[in-house]
Amino acid sequence: MLPVSLMWQDLGGLEGGGVRRFMVRLPSGDRYWTVLDDDLQIVGCADEYLRHLRFGRDCSEGTTSAYASSLALFLNWCQMTRRDWQGAGTALGSFILWLRHSPSPDSPQVLIGPGTAPARGERRINAVLAAVRGLLS
């Protein structure tokens, strides 16, 4: 295995609970973002997809950062709802509801009703779904 440098990045107001995005610096100096679990272990499915985006499809480091944040939300939701990430595609409606109305990325609580503002807007939700659909495909 190649030596890599993992640097935790404070999400600074960005979303993410137990599963977090992390920047990886390769010996070549190239960087990309990945996802680590609660035990600070690389989440293999997300890492493989994010490396493919960065180096296989020549996406920018910023793209992997945004996608890593989105995948962290999805994988946190999978953990909270006890779903396997591979089978969670059949429950994307529930995930969208959670994205729209959960006040915290590490809470299964959904707040809906008259006068309750959405926690995330349509643009953010669509960006998250683009990353999730890429992972699931």
Side-chain angles (χ1 to χ4, degrees), residues 68-128:
S69 293
S70 296
L71 295 179
L73 280 171
F74 176 68
L75 295 170
N76 275 322
W77 176 78
C78 288
Q79 281 184 342
M80 285 185 291
T81 59
R82 301 191 193 314
R83 286 183 169 87
D84 175 59
W85 72 269
Q86 293 167 313
T90 60
L92 283 181
S94 296
F95 178 57
I96 292 168
L97 180 70
W98 177 82
L99 280 173
R100 187 172 289 137
H101 297 290
S102 178
S104 170
D106 56 354
S107 170
Q109 183 179 23
V110 174
L111 302 176
I112 56 176
T116 305
R120 295 170 190 85
E122 294 302 317
R123 187 173 179 184
R124 174 68 176 132
I125 291 169
N126 287 336
V128 170

Side-chain angles (χ1 to χ4, degrees), residues 7-91:
M7 296 181 60
W8 179 75
Q9 296 291 314
D10 183 0
L11 295 179
L14 294 176
E15 300 154 313
V19 178
R20 292 188 163 82
R21 70 182 183 143
F22 274 70
M23 185 179 62
V24 177
R25 182 171 297 140
L26 300 174
S28 65
D30 289 332
R31 301 184 312 188
Y32 75 101
W33 290 80
T34 193
V35 177
L36 299 184
D37 65 16
D38 296 333
D39 298 323
L40 302 180
Q41 299 296 311
I42 290 175
V43 178
C45 61
D47 186 67
E48 183 177 327
Y49 175 58
L50 292 164
R51 278 187 291 116
H52 168 71
L53 287 175
R54 179 73 170 111
F55 304 113
R57 297 190 64 200
D58 202 28
C59 291
S60 72
E61 181 183 329
T63 298
T64 62
S65 174
Y67 273 47
S69 293
S70 296
L71 295 179
L73 280 171
F74 176 68
L75 295 170
N76 275 322
W77 176 78
C78 288
Q79 281 184 342
M80 285 185 291
T81 59
R82 301 191 193 314
R83 286 183 169 87
D84 175 59
W85 72 269
Q86 293 167 313
T90 60

